[in-house]
Amino acid sequence: MIGNIKWEELVCAVCQTIEERFDVLLDIDGEALDELDEIAKRTIGSYELAHPNPAKVAGHVVFWFRRLRPVTHRPESQNKLLVANETAALYLGLSICDLYRGEGSKETFHLPARVMKDWIASLRYNSHSPHAIAIAFEILTAEH
């Protein structure tokens, strides 16, 4: 948990969605999630906020999720999704922003499919920082 956001509770649902959508079987490394929580708390601490808004939490969690790669394919999975961690990371960030509304957040927001694909590819192949991803979520979810 970071601030009042229980992001860990969303990971299984996110991975289940990916399994159904892409016909893959995934495993989640709980130790990697514990490490992610510890590191994200440390990097988000630079904001010096007791309860950082959901966009900030999403940015840091997404960054570390895709970096630590806690999702693997089960041996019995017939198919592979090479971008499973990046996809799970982005879905997780969007879920955080959707479930936990911060002050000044839109009631609803939409990310077009082509932007999702571009963002997933960017998370896989390009350099990002936790702060840059947090800013992207801020822009996506901000009311004005």
Side-chain angles (χ1 to χ4, degrees):
M1 185 163 75
I2 300 175
N4 62 344
I5 297 174
K6 298 176 182 175
W7 66 268
E8 307 94 320
E9 294 177 356
L10 302 172
V11 174
C12 288
V14 162
C15 286
Q16 184 176 8
T17 298
I18 291 168
E19 286 180 329
E20 293 167 3
R21 185 167 289 162
F22 297 100
D23 193 28
V24 294
L25 298 172
L26 302 174
D27 277 330
I28 304 164
D29 183 340
E31 290 177 0
L33 293 181
D34 291 342
E35 180 182 9
L36 188 162
D37 188 58
E38 184 179 311
I39 295 171
K41 283 177 182 171
R42 194 171 38 225
T43 60
I44 207 164
S46 66
Y47 295 115
E48 297 181 2
L49 299 170
H51 297 289
N53 72 30
K56 286 180 175 57
V57 172
H60 287 257
V61 168
V62 165
F63 176 84
W64 290 110
F65 195 102
R66 67 90 154 154
R67 183 89 181 255
L68 296 175
R69 308 185 63 73
V71 171
T72 57
H73 293 89
R74 285 195 231 154
E76 66 270 22
S77 184
Q78 297 283 319
N79 300 310
K80 297 244 185 220
L81 177 64
L82 295 179
V83 291
N85 280 283
E86 295 81 7
T87 303
L90 184 55
Y91 283 18
L92 180 58
L94 293 169
S95 295
I96 290 167
C97 291
D98 189 44
L99 188 62
Y100 295 92
R101 302 249 182 246
E103 186 176 319
S105 292
K106 293 178 186 173
E107 281 299 313
T108 61
F109 59 89
H110 175 72
L111 194 58
R114 70 176 174 75
V115 175
M116 291 267 299
K117 288 178 184 177
D118 288 348
W119 202 350
I120 289 167
S122 185
L123 288 170
R124 182 160 179 94
Y125 298 114
N126 298 312
S127 296
H128 293 269
S129 73
H131 296 290
I133 299 171
I135 290 168
F137 281 111
E138 293 272 12
I139 292 167
L140 178 64
T141 63
E143 197 165 51
H144 298 295

